[in-house]
Amino acid sequence: MGIVANLFKLPGSGKRELGSAMYGPRARKAMRLVGGIDAARVDRFAETWTGTPVTPDEMIRLWHRILQARSRDMAINDPYMRNFVRRARVNVIGHGPKLKCAVQMASGQRDDTKTNSAVMQSWDEWKHPENCDVTGTETFRSLELTVQNALTIDGEAFVKIVSGGPFGIQLQLIDAVRCPVDYDFSSDGKGTYIRSGIEFDQHDRPVAYHFSTDDNNGDYYQFGGMKYHRVPADEVLHIFRKEMIGQKRGLPWAMSALFRLKRLRGFEDNAAMNAEVGAGKMGIISWDPDAGPEKEDDQEEIRITAEGGTFVELPSGARLDKWDPSFPETAMTSFTKTLLRGAGAGMGVMYPGLGNDLEGVNFSSIRAGALDERELWKEDQRLIIEGLHLPIFRRWAAAALLRGMVVNDDGYVVPAGKLRAIVRHSTFHGRRWDWVDPKSDAVANRMAMENLIKSPQEIIRERGHDPTQVIQEIAQWYRDLKAAGVPDPVIALAAGQQFKVMIDEKPDGSAASGNDEKQ
């Protein structure tokens, strides 16, 4: 290895540069001897392929602003990109992740229903515009959707937590552009430094965020001709998908597909223009060598327009050459599918959904693709739940409990001493989806329960519902049926063969059976 390694030394230095594409004949020959890794080729076929890795900070500094601008442009002007943004919003947020509070009594044998109902009812009340938004104009669900749009298009979202409102906490969304990626500042002796507009300590823990501002009356400072507002990190939620070690800013989710979508957009525009020209049935008038008028330099070209159903007589010596562009042809469909499949792979969505093309799709293929795509959506749901909902809920619970704002419909005020129990036993569940083939999936779930592979609770949670709430609703439904005088055989028929015991109670609280009713 020593002989091979010496071949990589740069002339006149003792250093080796393995990342550069500038290799001499001896180096290239040595690389062929070392191994046959095609991705490490440095010949003419890979001369435009980068050979020097860059750090996440360098990548953000060089390309973040361009990617963000182009992603925003495509989200406005490209229908496929808009479809991706819409699909992300619907599948990640939907009607909003649901809060589940399951605090138990001190005995641990049953739920603390008063506390749980008070927390969930008060949380729903806080989501009104006048309570959760600093502007008082947007509901929490509207803020959720806007945050998801920012994640999809910009790759990141900034949410500032403001003290105020009836519950003691409100939210303010900040445009990612206001945190400039080119704002860097080395350590000033205090152990902190600024990278991409974010201030970090010596352990790379965010200390503060620096946002540009135009407010001349606010608390700001000037640096490099710009006015900045420094916000402590504990007041800001910075949500983004971290894909590299040391990555400090988010990148657009569709960044690997943007170039393909741009080329497809240009291709479709040119194809449409070509088809429009071809539909116009244009022609070119040409003359025989000894015929035709003598044209002066400033004389306009001869143009003939014709209406439908008319024939025009050409001058002597003139002939009409038909010009009929035949494109677009059938190749356009296959070319469009190829580009959209690659774009969908980069976005993590299926081609039939992205391209709005369900031709040739069957239950088996759409189910296999949908299951994989839904797992990716679940991953994105965890990103926004852990980055947005849980941090906000913990702040909200602390502030609302201290103000005595966590109250249920019966007037029960939850004491502040239950904060830890509430935080520990509260979770958010993202939306779930209906089955692609309901009958087959229902049969599979029934067999899984019979074989003790799945529990009914697990199946209910897979559909995005709360098992406890579903059981309570079923019990209430059958009690309502009996109270309305519906005969037991009809109730049993509606319940199916699963329910062998009617939901009823004797005066002493014990369960009553059908035989008791007959007696």
Side-chain angles (χ1 to χ4, degrees), residues 167-179:
F167 288 83
I169 179 175
Q170 291 181 319
L171 305 179
Q172 178 185 9
L173 303 186
I174 301 178
D175 188 0
V177 175
R178 291 184 53 193
C179 189

Side-chain angles (χ1 to χ4, degrees), residues 304-321:
I304 299 176
T305 58
E307 297 180 357
T310 61
F311 294 89
V312 179
E313 181 180 0
L314 295 176
S316 176
R319 64 178 182 274
L320 179 63
D321 296 331

Side-chain angles (χ1 to χ4, degrees), residues 5 72 139 142 152 162 165 170 188 197 228 268 297 338 363 454 473 514:
R72 290 189 174 191
T139 63
S142 177
T152 309
V162 181
Q170 291 181 319
D188 56 359
Y228 294 98
E268 291 179 339
D297 294 339
T338 300
F363 270 125
K454 276 186 176 182
E473 290 178 353

Side-chain angles (χ1 to χ4, degrees), residues 203-347:
H203 301 294
D204 289 341
R205 184 186 183 92
V207 176
Y209 292 84
H210 298 257
F211 298 107
S212 61
T213 180
D214 295 328
D215 186 6
N216 294 324
N217 300 319
D219 182 15
Y220 69 92
Y221 70 95
Q222 286 187 316
F223 179 82
M226 293 289 294
K227 298 177 182 178
Y228 294 98
H229 178 52
R230 183 180 183 275
V231 182
D234 58 358
E235 299 179 9
V236 177
L237 300 178
H238 183 199
I239 312 163
F240 68 98
R241 182 192 293 169
K242 183 173 290 187
E243 300 178 297
M244 296 174 287
I245 298 176
Q247 181 179 348
K248 298 177 175 62
R249 297 290 296 269
L251 294 169
W253 286 8
M255 63 177 179
S256 60
L258 289 176
F259 190 68
R260 280 177 175 264
L261 292 178
K262 177 65 175 177
R263 298 186 69 178
L264 177 59
R265 178 179 161 190
F267 172 77
E268 291 179 339
D269 290 344
N270 292 332
M273 183 181 300
N274 197 69
E276 182 180 356
V277 172
K281 299 299 181 183
M282 297 177 60
I284 301 175
I285 298 177
S286 58
W287 301 86
D288 294 336
D290 298 332
E294 295 183 1
K295 181 181 177 182
E296 302 293 339
D297 294 339
D298 57 349
Q299 185 177 353
E300 296 183 358
E301 296 180 352
I302 298 177
R303 296 178 181 271
I304 299 176
T305 58
E307 297 180 357
T310 61
F311 294 89
V312 179
E313 181 180 0
L314 295 176
S316 176
R319 64 178 182 274
L320 179 63
D321 296 331
K322 184 180 179 181
W323 185 62
D324 185 12
S326 59
F327 189 82
E329 299 175 344
T330 56
M332 180 178 178
T333 301
S334 60
F335 181 76
T336 301
K337 285 185 176 181
T338 300
L339 287 182
L340 281 180
R341 282 170 179 159
M347 295 174 174

Side-chain angles (χ1 to χ4, degrees), residues 94-138:
H95 295 293
K98 297 179 180 179
L99 171 65
K100 168 61 176 176
C101 185
V103 178
Q104 294 184 333
M105 301 293 289
S107 61
Q109 297 180 354
R110 59 190 182 93
D111 291 342
D112 188 350
T113 56
K114 292 194 299 182
T115 298
N116 296 334
S117 61
V119 170
M120 290 188 286
Q121 291 170 7
S122 300
W123 172 258
D124 289 338
E125 182 182 355
W126 174 78
K127 293 191 292 186
H128 295 169
E130 64 275 10
N131 298 326
C132 68
D133 182 26
V134 292
T135 65
T137 58
E138 295 191 62

